[in-house]
Amino acid sequence: MARAEGSGGSGGSGGSTGGDVGGVGGVGPDSRSQPSWSPAPDLGPPTTLVLLRHGATALTAERRFSGVGDPELSAVGLGQVDAVARRLAAQGGIDAGHAGHAIDAVVASPLQRTVQTAQAVADAVGLPVELDPGFRETDFGLWDGHSFAEVRERWPAEHRAWLASTAVAPPGGESFDAVTERVLAARAALLERYARRTVLVVSHVTPIKTLIRDALGAPLEALYAMELSAASLSVLACYADGRGSMRLFNDTAHLTG
């Protein structure tokens, strides 16, 4: 999950053992017994969540924990955000290998890096930005701003305990279990408010991974096996019966074109 700001794996708030597959799964407890590709009644169109990780900050390149500390986008990040905004505006939404989806709403974590990212896209598609604290990054407490190596050296016992259990919080911070509860509550409210519509959610490594893991019905350990790049796009389809499917993951085509 997000641990240190970097490429997105569980090793950094973007990287390998500290914070970034396709598949199918569910988004609710009743969905686990039936795969989302199996025959089912026509439930109508799903609610589509387009998940956008914010652009890079200075901490991203240095692979440091970046939680509720509030760095702004770097010059690199601003360029990434401009690219993703142009992509979404040109497509009128996002094409995840299916029909294009026009964006109906833009929702963002209230931290500066996500607000900057969301505002660029919102301006490009002509929508306001709605702030939702449920989608903010993990509070890493005393570890915020430190590298993975620094944390391991200065807080060895706490670091080992944190790696061993998602119920353990960094000193003065928030556990991944608490983040999961917060993020899924925010998702539930979003699905109710925007049923069968398409919502761009601009967030961070931990919340995005949490949403993907839950949609796939994957174990918590799956959080440590995902890489999530800065300014990447992922797409989830959430159905009325609680099932979900992942239609796109960690797409950065707009950064390489």
Side-chain angles (χ1 to χ4, degrees):
M1 196 120 136
R3 301 187 185 171
E5 186 78 50
S7 68
S10 15
S13 145
S16 45
T17 49
D20 296 331
V21 288
V24 294
V27 295
D30 296 330
S31 63
R32 308 306 185 198
S33 61
Q34 185 179 29
S36 60
W37 40 260
S38 62
D42 182 7
L43 300 172
T47 302
T48 300
L49 301 183
V50 180
L51 309 175
L52 170 60
R53 185 188 170 196
H54 62 79
T57 72
L59 297 183
T60 307
E62 297 176 6
R63 301 178 66 84
R64 293 180 178 273
F65 284 84
S66 185
V68 297
D70 213 12
E72 63 183 6
L73 296 180
S74 64
V76 170
L78 290 171
Q80 292 171 334
V81 165
D82 179 67
V84 73
R86 284 187 281 107
R87 175 183 179 180
L88 292 174
Q91 293 183 195
I94 182 72
D95 185 348
H98 302 268
H101 298 284
I103 295 171
D104 297 303
V106 177
V107 177
S109 154
L111 297 178
Q112 182 175 208
R113 57 195 183 272
T114 38
V115 172
Q116 286 180 286
T117 302
Q119 193 62 62
V121 178
D123 289 346
V125 299
L127 292 169
V129 176
E130 302 175 29
L131 301 183
D132 189 333
F135 293 113
R136 69 164 173 76
E137 183 56 286
T138 306
D139 183 351
F140 292 111
L142 296 179
W143 297 353
D144 208 303
H146 291 282
S147 70
F148 198 76
E150 289 169 347
V151 167
R152 185 170 50 200
E153 180 179 350
R154 294 181 60 177
W155 293 275
E158 294 90 341
H159 185 249
R160 284 194 298 272
W162 179 70
L163 287 176
S165 173
T166 55
V168 174
E174 182 181 28
S175 72
F176 284 155
D177 283 358
V179 174
T180 297
E181 182 177 356
R182 164 168 59 79
V183 169
L184 296 187
R187 182 197 63 190
L190 200 66
L191 294 181
E192 182 176 356
R193 194 158 73 248
Y194 291 108
R196 300 186 176 185
R197 300 173 76 184
T198 297
V199 183
L200 177 70
V201 179
V202 185
S203 188
H204 312 262
V205 170
T206 312
I208 292 175
K209 286 185 175 184
T210 296
L211 292 168
I212 292 170
R213 181 200 66 77
D214 189 75
L216 297 179
L220 283 171
E221 291 75 15
L223 296 170
Y224 303 99
M226 288 186 265
E227 291 288 332
L228 200 64
S229 304
S232 63
L233 289 163
S234 300
V235 178
L236 298 177
C238 303
Y239 294 90
D241 65 347
R243 292 183 298 166
S245 65
M246 182 168 67
R247 297 185 171 182
L248 192 70
F249 177 71
N250 198 37
D251 187 325
T252 57
H254 46 281
L255 302 181
T256 57

